[in-house]
Amino acid sequence: MKNFKISLILKGLGMGAANVIPGVSGGTIALITGIYEELINSLKSFDLQALKLLLKFKWKEFVSYTNLYFLVQVLFGLGIAVLTLAKVFKYLFENYPVYIWAYFFGLVLASVYFVGKTVEKWNISTKISFLIGLIVAVIVTVLHPAGENDNPVYLFFNGIIAIISMILPGLSGSFVLILLGNYRLVAIDAINNFDFKTLLPFALGAIIGLVAFSHVLSWLFKKYKNQTIALMTGFILGSLNILWPWKKAVFLQQNGEYVMKHGRKIIAYYEQVVPGHFGGKFVFALLLILLGIISIYYLEKSGLEKS
């Protein structure tokens, strides 16, 4: 099949895996693997002209105008990753939290360099953009989250906000869901249990937010590409605070008692701590940080980033 490219599905898988992890952005993976701008422009193409072509049954023109084959392959990989990895990550977070945080810490740490080096010229405007992105990301990471809320209207706006952060390199959609109080509800429980009552309003908000915000990003890339990438580099660096492997969970409380959901305490936020000891587990965590760095190096250098 002429338009089929396994590399696009693999990139989608990488984006989907990243979006499930709090602190890692699928947009970062898209930027590093060289499909970010094409992805944004393809999403932007779903406008009135695309609707007219569809209503007139001009299928070939619609497919070409929307770059549909590209989108289907990337989104297919992304969807498969989200559906299959939710349970895997649930197990890893519950049993090996330091190790999985360590790997993604290395992943994002390396992303700062590989995204930043795509800025063609570091001048005053790009440096200011970088600092703004860094400051905003740091502020976001120290915010304390809201409580869990399954109201459909709230879920709809969760979808809009989360999808915007998912496609912005350095801003993690999963972490934003934590801040909104609904990470476990949406990203773990609803996906694993196929809870469409929760997923549908969230998905509707995500679709609307994705198409609308892609126009903004496309315009920024066209007019201020270097400043936009510098801003995103700042976002990525600022998000490292979330991914520090050694942390302890602080559980949500109301009136001095733990808030429970399905028999479990709800995590309000994490406090970063210094490793308690420097034995074999610490060394293994360092090796996983290195593995994360190598993974990004491979993504950037291998042929996968060439669509």
Side-chain angles (χ1 to χ4, degrees):
M1 186 176 168
K2 182 180 178 181
N3 295 299
F4 177 77
K5 295 179 181 177
I6 188 67
S7 63
L8 291 177
I9 296 176
L10 292 175
K11 291 170 187 179
L13 283 167
M15 290 177 62
N19 277 328
V20 175
I21 300 297
V24 185
S25 168
T28 301
I29 303 300
L31 195 58
I32 290 170
T33 56
I35 63 170
Y36 189 79
E37 201 166 353
E38 184 176 3
L39 178 63
I40 295 303
N41 287 329
S42 299
L43 292 169
K44 188 195 75 166
S45 67
F46 284 84
D47 52 17
L48 288 176
Q49 177 62 24
L51 182 61
K52 289 177 182 178
L53 292 172
L54 193 61
L55 292 176
K56 292 178 180 179
F57 300 103
K58 294 183 177 180
W59 178 247
K60 287 185 178 180
E61 290 88 343
F62 174 78
V63 169
S64 176
Y65 182 77
T66 60
N67 200 13
L68 192 62
Y69 288 125
F70 166 84
L71 278 177
V72 167
Q73 289 172 88
V74 172
L75 295 179
F76 175 76
L78 191 153
I80 291 297
V82 169
L83 291 174
T84 57
L85 293 177
K87 289 184 179 180
V88 175
F89 287 148
K90 177 182 178 182
Y91 173 80
L92 291 174
F93 274 122
E94 290 176 351
N95 295 279
Y96 305 101
V98 171
Y99 296 151
I100 193 167
W101 286 121
Y103 174 73
F104 282 100
F105 183 86
L107 205 70
V108 174
L109 181 63
S111 300
V112 176
Y113 169 75
F114 286 112
V115 173
K117 78 171 191 173
T118 63
V119 176
E120 295 173 357
K121 186 177 181 181
W122 283 97
N123 51 28
I124 293 177
S125 63
T126 51
K127 289 175 182 177
I128 291 174
S129 297
F130 171 80
L131 286 174
I132 291 172
L134 176 63
I135 292 168
V136 170
V138 170
I139 291 173
V140 169
T141 63
V142 298
L143 293 176
H144 289 181
E148 196 169 281
N149 187 338
D150 60 1
N151 182 283
V153 176
Y154 186 68
L155 287 169
F156 173 79
F157 284 105
N158 278 194
I160 293 175
I161 297 169
I163 200 65
I164 289 174
S165 56
M166 282 178 187
I167 60 176
L168 275 174
L171 286 184
S172 163
S174 292
F175 182 70
V176 167
L177 276 178
I178 288 178
L179 294 179
L180 295 170
N182 278 344
Y183 172 71
R184 182 91 188 200
L185 176 68
V186 175
I188 301 295
D189 294 340
I191 290 175
N192 285 334
N193 299 323
F194 295 98
D195 179 6
F196 292 105
K197 183 180 178 182
T198 297
L199 291 174
L200 286 177
F202 180 85
L204 180 60
I207 292 169
I208 292 173
L210 189 62
V211 174
F213 193 63
S214 62
H215 284 77
V216 177
L217 281 176
S218 178
W219 181 82
L220 286 172
F221 261 87
K222 185 178 295 185
K223 297 290 185 180
Y224 306 102
K225 184 173 182 178
N226 286 325
Q227 290 84 351
T228 302
I229 296 177
L231 180 76
M232 292 173 175
T233 306
F235 284 155
I236 296 169
L237 180 59
S239 71
L240 280 172
N241 177 51
I242 310 168
L243 296 166
W244 178 250
W246 296 275
K247 62 189 75 181
K248 67 175 182 179
V250 177
F251 297 99
L252 190 64
Q253 295 187 53
Q254 287 182 354
N255 300 321
E257 296 184 357
Y258 290 117
V259 178
M260 307 294 289
K261 180 77 173 182
H262 302 311
R264 60 174 173 80
K265 291 183 284 188
I266 298 174
I267 296 174
Y269 57 94
Y270 292 98
E271 287 183 352
Q272 283 71 27
V273 298
V274 176
H277 56 86
F278 301 94
K281 290 184 178 179
F282 174 78
V283 173
F284 188 59
L286 290 181
L287 290 174
L288 286 171
I289 291 174
L290 180 61
L291 180 61
I293 293 171
I294 293 171
S295 298
I296 288 297
Y297 176 83
Y298 173 77
L299 274 175
E300 204 272 343
K301 293 296 182 183
S302 73
L304 286 182
E305 79 270 26
K306 304 294 191 297
S307 295

